[in-house]
Structure formats: C-alpha cells, structure tokens
Amino acid sequence: MEIFIQQIVNGLFLGSVYALMALGYTMVYGIIKLINFAHGEIYMIGSFIGYFLINQFNMGFFPALILSMAGSAILGVVIEFLAYRPLRNSTRIAALITAIGVSYLLQNTMIYFFSSTTRPFPQVIKLQVFKIGFLSVSNIQLLILGLSLFLMITLNLIVQRTKMGKAMRAVSVDTDAAQLMGIDVNRTISFTFALGSALAAAGGMMIGLYYNSIDPMMGYIPGLKSFIAAVLGGIGIIPGAAIGGFVIGLIETITTALGFSDFKDAVVYAVLILILLVRPAGILGKHVKEKV
C-alpha cells in the first residue's frame, strides 16, 4: 500500500508535465482544428536548448529555462508560418500529414546534427529528498509540480484576462467573424503556437532534469501521451487538457505500482480507445451536432 501511494504521488509530478504539453495540443486544435504532431519534437528541442545553455554558458536552470521557452516559441511560430499557414484552407488530412512530416523532419535533423546518443542533462539543482511519513518527495519533483502549476495559471490568466487571450477565444469560436471584427487572425494563431511551444520546452527541460537524460527521440512517446491527455480531457478545452495530463500521469504510475511497468504505455493507449468508444468528446467535452 505504501508503494502504491508513493506511485500516486509520483504520478502527480509526471502528470503535470503531460498537462503542460497537452495544453499546447489543445490550444492549437481549439484555434485551427489541427493536431500538431510536431509538438513532441519541440519539447525535445527545448530540452536540448537548455542543455547547451547550461553546459556552454554555465547558466542556471531558470535563466536557461526562460531562454529555452523563448527559443522554442520562435521555432513554433516559424513552423506555423512555413508549414501550416499555407495549408490553412486545405483539407484536414493534408494538414495532419504535414504535421507528421514536420515531426519526423525535426527529429531526424536533430539526430543528424547531434546523433541519437543519450546525453546526461546537467544537474544544476542539487537533489534533496524529503521524507513525509513513508512518502519520499524530492526538491526536483516539487519544482516540477510548482513550476507546472505556475505556468498553467499564467496561461489561464493570459487567455482570460488579456486582449490577445480574448482574440484567441474569438478566433476559436468563429475565425471569419473575428476577422470581420478587426482581429489579426494570423497574428493570433502565431501567438497560440508560441505559447504552446514555450510550455512544451518547459516540460522538456523539467523532464531532462528529472530523469538526467535527453536524446533526439525523447519527444515521440511523451508527445503521443500528451495528445491522449488532451483527448481524454476534451480536446480544445484548456482545463480539460490539464485534467487529462494529470490523469494520464496517474494511470501510468498506478500501472507501474501494480507490477505492470512493461505495459504502462499499452494501458495508456487502451484508455484512449476506451474514451473514444464511451465518451468521444472527453471528460469536459460536449457533443456538438454538425450539419452535413
């Protein structure tokens, strides 16, 4: 029982990173109805930017985190401008295939320049373990959870309280009407990609610090799981993505606690299939009737 409860606690920390990435998926889908499968690779590139900033310039974790988020935000805007904007009026399948192509392009570009070798992420924050009864919690886990919650709250404030957030919500509801009201749709979509990419980079750096390793393939599986989290919570709904991320983290660690660690990925995918069968709109999603 003690091991089981410890794994649930670990699941909250892991789930917070999935939640950050799921927010990127759900924001982009909510705005332009696109599943950005390159999101996992931006998460990976964000961790590499942080790795080189810390190693080459002896930066602390937080300055490197801020610059990594900024660099990944710029990358997200460039990807949207070059790959997705020309296809905005094309079929959804064309945009989806392009997103998959961008994902593999980024992944293989990183492998070409940096090889597929796993690199140790610099431990710039000294590990400390705190005992609370039979529970063990490290300062890095607390940092991950606290920073993730801070970024989620900041994102919510941006979406709900700022002029750009109001524009994002307007474009999400009706792009044409928003444009007629004077909203710069292209700028709003680029801002959405920048926000999502920055959150993914933060997740990549935190996971690199937590597991002490990064590699060019590290974004593939977390990217898929974060997409599942977005679908589970209700894709296009920001609170739903956050809830879905925490749920996926808990499912993964509970599966490990029950002795099925080799099948934790399979269980997560099985949950996706079950959700699509039982409640396709997700936990917070609503069924919307579409005219044919």
Side-chain angles (χ1 to χ4, degrees):
M1 181 57 70
E2 292 180 1
I3 295 174
F4 185 78
I5 295 173
Q6 178 69 59
Q7 290 292 356
I8 289 177
V9 173
N10 293 342
L12 292 174
F13 300 122
L14 180 62
S16 65
V17 176
Y18 288 147
L20 279 182
M21 291 187 66
L23 288 169
Y25 275 109
T26 209
M27 283 193 301
V28 169
Y29 183 84
I31 295 286
I32 58 174
K33 300 298 182 288
L34 168 71
I35 304 297
N36 180 21
F37 280 115
H39 198 59
E41 275 54 55
I42 293 175
Y43 158 93
M44 173 267 295
I45 290 172
S47 70
F48 268 84
I49 293 173
Y51 168 86
F52 282 107
L53 287 173
I54 294 170
N55 266 356
Q56 300 299 320
F57 300 100
N58 295 317
M59 282 191 180
F61 178 79
F62 290 103
L65 175 69
I66 293 169
L67 289 177
S68 173
M69 291 175 69
S72 297
I74 293 169
L75 176 62
V77 171
V78 170
I79 290 171
E80 188 276 326
F81 180 78
L82 295 178
Y84 300 145
R85 188 174 298 184
L87 298 173
R88 196 170 295 164
N89 296 319
S90 301
T91 59
R92 288 192 186 180
I93 191 66
L96 181 65
I97 292 170
T98 300
I100 295 171
V102 172
S103 171
Y104 280 106
L105 174 64
L106 293 175
Q107 188 181 104
N108 284 278
T109 299
M110 292 296 289
I111 291 173
Y112 177 80
F113 285 106
F114 302 106
S115 81
S116 57
T117 307
T118 299
R119 298 164 182 255
F121 195 88
Q123 296 300 287
V124 286
I125 297 177
K126 186 177 179 181
L127 179 66
Q128 293 181 328
V129 178
F130 306 104
K131 289 282 186 178
I132 307 171
F134 58 83
L135 293 177
S136 295
V137 179
S138 72
N139 59 331
I140 292 176
Q141 287 177 318
L142 293 174
L143 170 68
I144 289 172
L145 182 60
L147 190 55
S148 298
L149 291 175
F150 171 76
L151 291 172
M152 289 179 209
I153 293 169
T154 302
L155 172 66
N156 188 62
L157 291 174
I158 289 171
V159 172
Q160 297 296 330
R161 302 288 180 87
T162 66
K163 186 176 180 181
M164 183 57 77
K166 187 181 290 186
M168 288 169 63
R169 286 182 279 133
V171 172
S172 175
V173 173
D174 191 322
T175 303
D176 294 332
Q179 196 162 17
L180 290 172
M181 295 298 292
I183 293 173
D184 188 335
V185 172
N186 287 332
R187 184 180 169 210
T188 304
I189 292 172
S190 294
F191 182 77
T192 304
F193 270 86
L195 266 184
S197 299
L199 293 177
M205 276 199 65
M206 287 189 287
I207 284 295
L209 183 67
Y210 184 58
Y211 288 116
N212 190 28
S213 66
I214 59 170
D215 66 86
M217 302 290 289
M218 65 179 283
Y220 179 69
I221 297 298
L224 282 179
K225 289 180 180 176
S226 301
F227 167 62
I228 293 170
V231 174
L232 177 63
I235 194 159
I237 302 171
I238 288 177
I243 291 171
F246 282 107
V247 170
I248 292 299
L250 288 170
I251 290 172
E252 190 171 320
T253 53
I254 288 171
T255 304
T256 301
L258 294 174
F260 300 102
S261 59
D262 291 341
F263 304 100
K264 62 182 181 181
D265 292 344
V267 171
V268 172
Y269 300 139
V271 167
L272 173 64
I273 294 170
L274 185 63
I275 287 295
L276 291 175
L277 290 173
V278 176
R279 189 174 174 80
I283 295 171
L284 299 185
K286 295 179 181 180
H287 294 286
V288 179
K289 293 181 180 179
E290 293 185 5
K291 294 181 180 181
V292 179

